[in-house]
Structure formats: C-alpha cells, structure tokens
Amino acid sequence: MSFQAYIDNIQKKTGKSPEDFKKLAEEKGFLAQGVLIVKATEVTNWLKEEFELGHGHAMAIYASLKGKTS
C-alpha cells in the first residue's frame, strides 16, 4: 500500500487529515515548534488507543508528523 493510500484510508476512517493530527499532536505536547519531541511508540500508542488505527496506519501518521508528505 502506498503512503498516500494509508493517508486516504486514515482520513476516511477518522475524518482527520494529517494537518488535523499535527494540531492534535501539538496539543498533546508531542511537537515543539513543529518538531517531534517524542518517540514513535508514544505517537502510535496514542493513535491506536484514541483512533483505533492499526500499526501501519499509525506509523503513516507518525511519518507525516516527521515531515514525510509522499
């Protein structure tokens, strides 16, 4: 599955875009000045618990928070 397919599926499931997740991550204190300051496990655990994402989908959001766009 391509990165964009992961993002599209996440948006369909949650109604949230990568930018929405970035704002939520900032609110949780996971980002400082737009830079991730926590490990992947913290982000993926949050996404799995709160949004019921699988590991691969949670990692796609983690990658987008790190700046990956495609």
Side-chain angles (χ1 to χ4, degrees):
M1 183 181 301
S2 71
F3 180 76
Q4 189 58 52
Y6 273 105
I7 297 300
D8 292 344
N9 287 336
I10 292 163
Q11 195 157 2
K12 285 178 194 168
K13 179 176 182 164
T14 66
K16 300 195 179 319
S17 69
E19 189 60 36
D20 294 328
F21 282 108
K22 183 176 182 179
K23 289 176 187 167
L24 292 170
E26 287 171 347
E27 291 170 9
K28 290 192 76 61
F30 291 169
L31 296 165
Q33 298 177 340
V35 177
L36 269 173
I37 58 171
V38 297
K39 295 188 182 226
T41 302
E42 230 176 309
V43 175
T44 57
N45 286 345
W46 161 57
L47 295 169
K48 289 174 183 181
E49 289 173 22
E50 194 164 327
F51 298 98
E52 299 180 355
L53 295 181
H55 186 74
H57 289 86
M59 285 302 294
I61 294 299
Y62 173 76
S64 75
L65 293 174
K66 288 197 57 113
K68 180 175 173 73
T69 59
S70 61

